Structures are given as C-alpha cells and as structure tokens.
Amino acid sequence: MSRQSTRPGTALVPLFAALSLGLTACGGGTGASAEEEGAAAAVRIGYFPLVHTATAVHADEAGLFEAEELDAELVQTAGGAAAIPALVSGDFDITYTNYTSALLAAEKGLPIRLVAGNDVGATDHGVFVAEDSGLEAPADLAGRTVAVNNLQNIGTVAFYEHLEEAGLDPREVDLVEMPYPDMSAALERGEVDAAWQVEPFQAMAEQAGHRKIFDLFSGPVEEMPVAGWVTTQEFAEQNPETVAAFGRAITASGEELQDDRERLVELVPTYTQVSAELTEQVEMPVFQGALDLERLQRTADLMQSHGITGDRLEVSDLVAEPVR
C-alpha cells in the first residue's frame, strides 16, 4: 500500500547558484540506487497542493502506483520553484514543478530530467481586472501594473506573448510579483490594474466580482504545457524502470480524472484548503501525462527571447531516457 506524508518541503531559498557549484553530478534522491526484480520500488514524490496535482493523489488512492509496483510516498512541497532545490538536495525523488522553473534550473547547470507531463494551460488560468476598470483586452494594459506570482514563471512568458501580439512592448507594462492569495485584495484597493489568477484563485476572483478579460493560455500560447514531473539525472539513470512506471501511472491518473468533476470535488479538499463548494466552481484543468517536446521547446525558446535564460536549451536533452 502506498503512503502519503504531509511533511512540508524545503522552503524556497536562493539555492540555484549554490547547488550549481556544489553539484556536478545529480543530487541523490531517497529511492533505491538499483531496482530489484519483483520488489515494489520505493519512490518519494513531491507535490504542491493544487487542484492540478490531484493526478498524484488520485494515482495513490486509486492504486495506480501500486499497480505499477511502486511503493509511493507523497510529500507536500512549498511550491514549484521551491521544489527544485529540494529535489536536487535529496528530499524526494520525483517532484511536480512548472516547466519554467525546471528549464531555468537546467540552464543554471542543475541536473534536472523531465519525467512526465501533468497539465497544459486552458481556461483555468485567467487575467482579471476590477469590474468597473474599463479594461477589456491585452492592448488596454499599456502603462498599467499587472500582478504575477513570479517574474520568471510560465505565466509571465505567456503574458509577454499576449502583449507582443497586441502590438505592445512588454516593457510598457509593469509586472509585479505577488502571491496569488493577495491579488484579489490588491485589485480591490487599486494597487494593481490586473492580475493573473490560476484555479482555485480564479474562482475566488469571480466570487469577489472581478472580471476576466482573457484566458492567459490562449491565442499565441494556446495549450502551452504549464507543469509536469521531474527527477534528477542520477535517479533517472539508476532507476529507469521506476521513472517509466511513474510516468505510466501519472498518465493513467490524468486520463481518469479528465472532466471528472465529481472525483475532483471528492478528492481536492482532502489534501488542499480548497473546499468542495469551491472545487465545484473551478474551471477544469486539462491533464496531459505525455511530454509535448515540440511545445516545451517553444517554451524554452520564448524564455530565451524574453531574457529569462541566456543560452538556448535543447529540451530533448533533458528528458529522462525511456526504458527500452
């Protein structure tokens, strides 16, 4: 039977540079260094408690990990970016993170390997304004202040693309970092003119009377991969069967959860602070377990074009080798 732990993950600290200097090889995870035939493979999985990580919790509770002969332990992390240093330092073997954080870490020299996808951008991410703001579209945001949760995040890349499609220089808009839970109040106080909200904060923004002016992952960034599962090079090389089994289980979980709101309503309140009532109102995520390397390469190229990374990254070089 798989296990679930709610021990908090390592908090986000400025570790990328330190880890780049200290780790020329991969960080050692907590899983077995070699796989034993016939034995369940122990794997420690980091996940941030979101609607979108229902894939991991469902795979645990529905026996999908067990069916793949995985002895999985789920560990809540402090966030996608915070999960990367914790992964490399060995707190867990596989973790959920947004792709921008993973690619940025790889560019900094951290030994990150892509394992599986999880969710792609859809109507569950939106840009919101105050009801009476008069703002209607990306072109209206010139000279305005917009809240994002991180200036080096996948959402920031998507936002820049909307601005450029609208004929704006991204520098014409002032992006400010702000935690998702604080954005709605900041809109009400007029501290920001618009805010990027992801579920369940999008549903909360709608409850507060704020108005969505566009879906963030639409138009030039439609169906952009948002987040997935990563490991270290060392763990991938030493445990290829475990990595492959995890990918199969998480893909199967996403397929079972897709459009199954009843299951999400049952599941999400058990590992997040999101109520069943709010889960009833959120826009459903789009789950995708397979890695979309073509779109991920475009993400990497956009990160470079917007100055988030320096050298061009070849995403195909970062994929954990499949079991043959």
Side-chain angles (χ1 to χ4, degrees):
M1 189 65 156
S2 55
R3 306 183 301 276
Q4 181 169 334
S5 169
T6 57
R7 183 179 66 83
T10 302
L12 179 58
V13 292
L15 283 180
F16 276 1
L19 287 170
S20 296
L21 292 172
L23 294 170
T24 55
C26 299
T30 57
S33 59
E35 295 168 333
E36 299 178 13
E37 186 175 352
V43 58
R44 194 167 168 85
I45 301 164
Y47 75 108
F48 189 62
L50 297 169
V51 174
H52 303 75
T53 52
T55 50
V57 182
H58 177 69
D60 187 30
E61 293 191 0
L64 299 177
F65 288 141
E66 189 175 9
E68 292 287 349
E69 298 185 345
L70 296 178
D71 180 13
E73 178 183 4
L74 272 61
V75 183
Q76 289 192 1
T77 72
I84 297 290
L87 172 73
V88 176
S89 64
D91 283 8
F92 27 78
D93 307 308
I94 295 172
T95 193
Y96 176 84
T97 185
N98 73 80
Y99 287 118
T100 304
S101 294
L103 295 176
L104 183 60
E107 197 244 357
K108 298 294 185 186
L110 298 188
I112 300 301
R113 291 295 178 265
L114 305 174
V115 172
N118 192 82
D119 50 284
V120 301
T123 56
D124 51 333
H125 297 255
V127 175
F128 282 78
V129 298
E131 178 63 36
D132 59 355
S133 71
L135 302 174
E136 300 290 344
D140 298 331
L141 296 174
R144 304 285 185 160
T145 299
V146 179
V148 296
N149 78 319
N150 191 296
L151 295 178
Q152 294 183 320
N153 195 285
I154 191 76
T156 301
V157 172
F159 191 77
Y160 286 156
E161 288 300 294
H162 279 284
L163 295 177
E164 290 189 347
E165 186 180 59
L168 299 178
D169 185 324
R171 291 173 294 184
E172 295 181 63
V173 178
D174 183 20
L175 297 187
V176 297
E177 288 189 355
M178 184 177 296
Y180 287 125
D182 298 343
M183 292 181 185
S184 186
L187 274 176
E188 292 175 3
R189 293 192 297 265
E191 295 174 359
V192 297
D193 301 297
W196 163 35
Q197 298 274 235
V198 61
E199 295 295 8
F201 302 105
Q202 178 173 258
M204 295 177 183
E206 291 173 341
Q207 286 181 341
H210 302 315
R211 177 168 51 87
K212 183 194 285 191
I213 58 174
F214 62 95
D215 290 315
L216 185 62
F217 293 103
S218 62
V221 287
E222 186 173 3
E223 297 182 345
M224 176 179 277
V226 174
W229 301 89
V230 301
T231 189
T232 62
Q233 180 180 347
E234 182 181 31
F235 188 83
E237 290 176 349
Q238 294 184 354
N239 303 274
E241 295 284 356
T242 298
V243 169
F246 174 87
R248 291 191 297 269
I250 212 72
T251 297
S253 182
E255 291 172 352
E256 291 185 5
L257 286 175
Q258 192 61 61
D259 300 322
D260 189 349
R261 185 179 295 275
E262 183 177 350
R263 176 58 176 153
L264 281 182
V265 169
E266 175 184 43
L267 192 65
V268 170
T270 67
Y271 68 95
T272 74
Q273 297 182 14
V274 182
S275 68
E277 291 75 18
L278 189 59
T279 309
E280 288 275 11
Q281 300 174 41
V282 302
E283 293 284 349
M284 292 290 289
V286 174
F287 297 115
Q288 179 177 292
L291 290 168
D292 189 334
L293 296 186
E294 182 177 351
R295 284 195 167 96
L296 281 173
Q297 185 61 58
R298 181 164 184 265
T299 298
D301 292 344
L302 290 175
M303 289 172 64
Q304 183 187 25
S305 70
H306 292 301
I308 294 176
T309 56
D311 296 332
R312 186 177 192 269
L313 285 170
E314 291 293 341
V315 171
S316 60
D317 293 341
L318 303 177
V319 179
E321 288 295 323
V323 176
R324 301 188 187 281

